[in-house]
Amino acid sequence: MNAPHHPIFDPSLDALKASDPILGKLIERVGACTLPPPAPNPDLFCALVRAIVGQQISMAAARTIYQRLLDCYDGSSLTPQTLWDTPEERLRGAGISRQKVAYLKDLAAKMRDGLLVVDRLEAMEDEAIIETLTQVKGVGRWTVQMLLMFTLGRLDVLPAGDLGVRKAIRQFYALEALPKPKAVEDIARPWQPYRSVAVWYLWRGLEI
C-alpha cells in the first residue's frame, strides 16, 4: 500500500500528469509524494549545518555524523555561538572533515556577527536565497536547492546539475547520454511551477 501524501501535492500531481505523459507514468508507478510539506518556523541554521555535513557522503553517514555533532552539546542547543565555541578537535572527533569544519565555522561566524540573518530567508524568492546563502564558504547552489526543497517546502526548484536527476531523465526519457543541465532545463519546462515534485519522482524512480 502506498504511503499517504500531504494534500498540498494534489494540484501538482494533476498538473504534472497532464503536462508530461512520461512523468505521469512515473508518478503512477511510484505512488504518493512524500516530500515534507513546509514546516512552520523551521530551524534554518541547523538545516544548513546538516546540509554542509551531508555533502558528498551517503545519507546514512550524514545522519550518523550529524547526530554525533548534536551529542557534542549534551542536550544544549546547537546555535551559531555554541558551534563557534566548539574546538575544531571536538568537531573532527564527530567525524567532520577539516574542510567542513572550516565551512561550519564560517557559517557560525557570519550568523553570530549578523552578516547572515536566516530569519529573513522565508520571505525571499528562491534565487535571492541562493544568492544569499552561497556567500557562506562551502555552500553552493545545489546545497541551497536542497534546503529550498526539503526545509522551506518550495515547489518549483530544479537542481539541473544533480547527477541523480540527469540519470533519471536519461533512463525514463530514453536518451542515449546523460543530458547536460541546459537540456534538463528544457525537458523540465512543462513541469513548472512544480519542478520540485517532479524531481522527487525522478529520484524515487531510480530507487524502485
Side-chain angles (χ1 to χ4, degrees), residues 19-208:
S19 66
D20 187 332
I22 293 175
L23 188 62
K25 290 180 181 178
L26 182 61
I27 290 171
E28 290 295 333
R29 180 178 160 205
V30 170
C33 178
T34 56
L35 260 173
N41 303 314
D43 188 335
L44 295 178
F45 171 68
C46 286
L48 277 169
V49 169
R50 190 163 193 163
I52 291 172
V53 167
Q55 290 172 351
Q56 300 179 335
I57 59 176
S58 71
M59 291 180 65
R63 282 194 297 268
T64 298
I65 294 173
Y66 183 71
Q67 186 56 54
R68 287 179 188 159
L69 173 62
L70 295 181
D71 291 343
C72 289
Y73 301 98
D74 297 323
S76 300
S77 297
L78 174 61
T79 67
Q81 188 63 56
T82 58
L83 179 56
W84 176 257
D85 291 339
T86 305
E88 178 180 340
E89 295 75 17
R90 193 171 188 189
L91 296 175
R92 297 277 288 124
I96 301 172
S97 70
R98 192 176 304 279
Q99 185 177 53
K100 288 181 181 178
V101 168
Y103 296 162
L104 293 174
K105 291 288 190 178
D106 184 66
L107 171 65
K110 282 185 167 63
M111 290 191 62
R112 181 200 60 182
D113 297 340
L115 300 176
L116 176 63
V117 183
V118 296
D119 292 346
R120 299 173 184 167
L121 295 178
E122 285 188 86
M124 295 165 61
E125 298 293 329
D126 292 355
E127 284 300 323
I129 295 174
I130 291 172
E131 183 178 347
T132 297
L133 293 182
T134 50
Q135 297 175 36
V136 178
K137 290 180 182 177
V139 175
R141 186 178 183 86
W142 181 88
T143 298
V144 184
Q145 287 174 324
M146 297 303 103
L147 183 84
L148 290 170
M149 291 178 64
F150 292 102
T151 303
L152 292 176
R154 301 295 174 94
L155 293 178
D156 196 33
V157 179
L158 178 67
D162 182 85
L163 183 59
V165 171
R166 296 169 64 205
K167 284 182 176 179
I169 288 178
R170 179 180 63 181
Q171 176 177 328
F172 300 122
Y173 290 77
L175 304 182
E176 292 185 0
L178 279 177
K180 296 186 181 300
K182 179 61 171 65
V184 171
E185 292 173 1
D186 292 340
I187 291 170
R189 196 162 287 116
W191 307 342
Q192 292 177 294
Y194 302 115
R195 291 177 296 179
S196 299
V197 180
V199 164
W200 183 87
Y201 275 97
L202 292 174
W203 282 331
R204 285 289 292 117
L206 289 176
E207 297 173 355
I208 62 174

